[in-house]
């Protein structure tokens, strides 16, 4: 695979573009933050304090943007759609989870969305690994966190009917 030549300014614009895209997804999460409904739910063991989620998600969104940026710069424009569609799809599933769980209180549908997100994330990592092993590895903490979120979501469903 030929690495396209990229001028530094174009590289910065690509990075800022991905940063904006992941920031938009993060804003969906921020707009549907937990409220009184969530506070009253019984939580499974190992549920972290609320502030941990903000810190972790900020780091994960930054890693996502860096991973997508690295891959975008390393594939031809013709290949970008094929390589990047699972990444974009997992971002949609990510934003949808917040709307389902916190926005609509649909815990079971949110859990199903997490399963979809997990699968799309695995596909993204696989596609990214063919282009940049670093980009793929940057998504591994995200996969771990989504797995943990699945445990938390399933635990909340189980404990709260």
């Amino acid at each position: 695979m030929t690495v396209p030549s990229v001028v530094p300014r174009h590289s910065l614009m690509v990075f800022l573009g991905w940063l904006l895209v992941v920031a938009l997804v993060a804003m969906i999460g921020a707009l549907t933050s937990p409220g009184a409904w969530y506070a009253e739910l019984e939580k499974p063991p190992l549920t972290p304090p609320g502030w941990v989620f903000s810190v972790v998600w900020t780091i994960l969104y930054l890693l996502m943007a860096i991973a997508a940026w690295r891959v975008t710069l390393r594939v031809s424009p013709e290949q970008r759609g094929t390589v990047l569609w699972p990444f974009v799809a997992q971002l949609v599933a990510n934003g949808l989870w917040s709307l389902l769980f916190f926005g609509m209180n649909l815990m079971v549908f949110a859990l199903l969305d997490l399963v979809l997100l997990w699968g799309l994330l695995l596909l993204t990592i696989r596609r990214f690994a063919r282009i940049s092993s670093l980009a793929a590895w940057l998504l591994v903490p995200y996969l771990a966190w989504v797995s943990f979120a699945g445990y938390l979501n399933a635990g909340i469903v189980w404990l709260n009917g």
Side-chain angles (χ1 to χ4, degrees):
M1 176 174 299
T2 306
V3 177
S5 64
V6 178
V7 294
R9 184 164 192 244
H10 174 74
S11 175
L12 178 61
M13 296 306 290
V14 170
F15 176 67
L16 292 176
W18 281 117
L19 203 55
L20 177 62
V21 169
V22 297
L24 290 173
V25 175
M27 286 174 35
I28 292 170
L31 293 174
T32 58
S33 62
W37 167 81
Y38 178 76
E40 294 176 12
L41 292 173
E42 190 173 343
K43 318 277 187 321
L46 305 178
T47 299
W51 65 267
V52 171
F53 293 95
S54 300
V55 172
V56 169
W57 277 113
T58 299
I59 294 166
L60 294 177
Y61 283 128
L62 181 59
L63 294 176
M64 283 185 244
I66 293 169
W69 169 61
R70 289 186 57 82
V71 168
T72 301
L73 295 180
R74 285 168 173 71
V75 296
S76 69
E78 297 81 24
Q79 295 172 306
R80 286 184 189 145
T82 302
V83 173
L84 291 166
W85 81 260
F87 179 79
V88 173
Q90 68 80 26
L91 283 175
V92 171
N94 180 315
L96 183 60
W97 184 88
S98 294
L99 292 173
L100 290 169
F101 193 90
F102 294 122
M104 297 187 237
N105 305 338
L106 298 171
M107 300 179 292
V108 173
F109 286 106
L111 182 58
L112 294 172
D113 179 69
L114 266 181
V115 172
L116 174 65
L117 171 56
W118 197 83
L120 288 167
L121 189 49
L122 278 178
L123 180 58
T124 300
I125 290 170
R126 184 172 175 222
R127 295 260 171 108
F128 279 21
R130 294 178 186 161
I131 310 303
S132 164
S133 61
L134 177 58
W137 280 106
L138 287 171
L139 296 178
V140 170
Y142 179 30
L143 181 65
W145 187 254
V146 168
S147 300
F148 181 62
Y151 155 76
L152 294 174
N153 193 155
I156 288 171
V157 168
W158 178 263
L159 294 169
N160 297 278

